[in-house]
Amino acid sequence: MSYEKVAQAKSDIVIGTKQTLKAMKNGEVVEVITADDADQSMTSKVAVLAAQLNILHSRVSSMEELGKACGIEVGAATVAIKQ
């Protein structure tokens, strides 16, 4: 499950849509995770760019759980795992 992947990669993650998009454009990302309960106008940009760059894209159900997996106290709409 993607929550565990994020928790295991804590030192090599990027949290947030803007930071994720930047890291993706810089070629630093191997996988992106988006939360289904996040604003789709934000997460769709990440999904589209991931498809264009052939980056693995996973989806999880909860922003809150994704944030917890990152070790933060707020929800996370988008997380990237760096190479």
Side-chain angles (χ1 to χ4, degrees):
M1 173 153 253
S2 294
Y3 295 123
E4 286 87 19
K5 277 187 189 179
V6 171
Q8 290 172 357
K10 267 188 190 167
S11 62
D12 290 323
I13 61 172
V14 177
I15 303 168
T17 304
K18 288 181 185 177
Q19 293 88 341
T20 294
L21 289 168
K22 182 178 177 182
M24 290 169 71
K25 290 174 185 173
N26 290 337
E28 302 170 357
V29 175
V30 293
E31 182 175 358
V32 294
I33 298 110
T34 58
D36 286 340
D37 62 347
D39 182 352
Q40 294 301 308
S41 66
M42 292 171 43
T43 58
S44 64
K45 293 175 187 175
V46 172
V48 168
L49 186 58
Q52 289 173 349
L53 299 176
N54 292 321
I55 296 172
L56 182 63
H57 174 222
S58 302
R59 294 169 54 178
V60 294
S61 59
S62 169
M63 285 179 60
E64 183 178 344
E65 290 298 317
L66 189 55
K68 284 181 186 177
C70 294
I72 59 174
E73 295 183 15
V74 295
T78 308
V79 175
I81 299 176
K82 296 171 82 176
Q83 295 180 355

